[in-house]
Amino acid sequence: MSRYGRFYAGNGLARQVSNGLVKGTRGIRMFYDLNLSYTANHAELQRTLVFLSELGYNIIALSHTIIGRLPADLTSPIPSPIPFSTPKTLRLLTRCTLHLSDPSQNHRLSSLAADYTLLAIRPTSEKTLQQACISLSPIDLISLDCSIRYPFYFRQKTLSAAVERGVRIEICYGVGILGTGEQRRNLI
C-alpha cells in the first residue's frame, strides 16, 4: 500500500505517486485518486476537479473504461490538454481500464498504453489474471472489483509475481460499500 494509505499506482511517474512523493514535493502530504471517470460534460468535470482540489487531492487520474474487444481506434477520448482551467495544485493523469476476458486480446496493449499515463487491467477469469500477473506488459495496475464474486480464488503466488514485476494491485471496494446487498456480501 502507498505511504499514506490511499491507492496503488504503477511504473514510472505512477511509482513516484505511489510513494506519496512527486519530484520537488518531498515531505508534502499527497492525496490522489487514480480512478475518476471521465465525462464529456466539462462543467460537471470541472466542478468535481475543483472540489477534489479543495479536499486536498493533488493528483487525479481521469479514467476511460473499455469493456469487450479493443476498438480499431485506440486514441484516448480524454482531451490533452483539458479544455478548461484546473486548479494549479492539481496534476491530471489519464488512465485506461481494460476489462480483459480473452487472453488473446492483449496483442495491442503497447499501442493502447502509449495514449495513457496509466494502464489498468481488470481480469475476469483466472487465466487472464495469471497472464496479467506473470507476463502482460506494459501494465501499471491490476484492478480487482470486489463487488462481484469471482469463480476462482486469488492465489498469493500469482499476485506476488505481479508485485515483483512492479505492477500494483488495486482493490475497488466503492461499489461493494454503496451497492446492493449482494454486492456488499461479495465484498465481505
Side-chain angles (χ1 to χ4, degrees):
M1 193 168 210
S2 74
R3 185 179 193 155
Y4 299 108
R6 296 302 291 172
F7 294 91
Y8 287 110
N11 301 324
L13 170 67
R15 178 163 295 155
Q16 295 169 353
V17 172
S18 71
N19 291 334
L21 300 174
V22 175
K23 289 183 181 180
T25 60
R26 184 160 214 98
I28 297 175
R29 190 172 173 138
M30 304 284 289
F31 289 106
Y32 43 93
D33 185 349
L34 298 180
N35 198 7
L36 178 65
S37 295
Y38 172 75
T39 176
N41 182 348
H42 291 165
E44 179 184 336
L45 183 60
Q46 185 176 22
R47 267 194 314 272
T48 303
L49 291 174
V50 168
F51 180 66
L52 289 173
S53 176
E54 290 171 357
L55 289 176
Y57 284 83
N58 304 88
I59 300 172
I60 303 291
L62 298 176
S63 181
H64 171 67
T65 302
I66 299 175
I67 299 174
R69 292 201 166 276
L70 286 175
D73 182 22
L74 294 178
T75 58
S76 172
I78 304 169
S80 180
I82 298 294
F84 53 82
S85 64
T86 58
K88 299 229 183 281
T89 60
L90 198 60
R91 184 168 188 174
L92 292 178
L93 307 175
T94 57
R95 168 186 169 153
C96 180
T97 303
L98 175 64
H99 288 244
L100 191 64
S101 57
D102 182 13
S104 65
Q105 184 181 339
N106 63 10
H107 64 282
R108 297 188 315 167
L109 281 182
S110 57
S111 57
L112 181 65
D115 248 12
Y116 296 93
T117 312
L118 297 171
L119 180 59
I121 298 295
R122 184 167 284 178
T124 57
S125 68
E126 186 172 19
K127 192 170 191 168
T128 55
L129 176 65
Q130 287 176 346
Q131 185 182 34
C133 290
I134 296 169
S135 63
L136 249 156
S137 88
I139 62 172
D140 299 302
L141 299 166
I142 296 174
S143 179
L144 302 175
D145 183 4
C146 290
S147 68
I148 63 171
R149 183 170 294 261
Y150 287 95
F152 56 91
Y153 294 107
F154 298 117
R155 291 183 168 59
Q156 190 267 337
K157 185 176 181 181
T158 306
L159 296 175
S160 293
V163 173
E164 287 175 13
R165 288 182 41 223
V167 176
R168 304 294 188 232
I169 308 296
E170 175 186 58
I171 299 173
C172 300
Y173 56 84
V175 176
I177 293 172
L178 301 173
T180 64
E182 183 179 342
Q183 290 172 327
R184 285 192 299 267
R185 187 190 77 224
N186 289 336
L187 177 64
I188 296 170

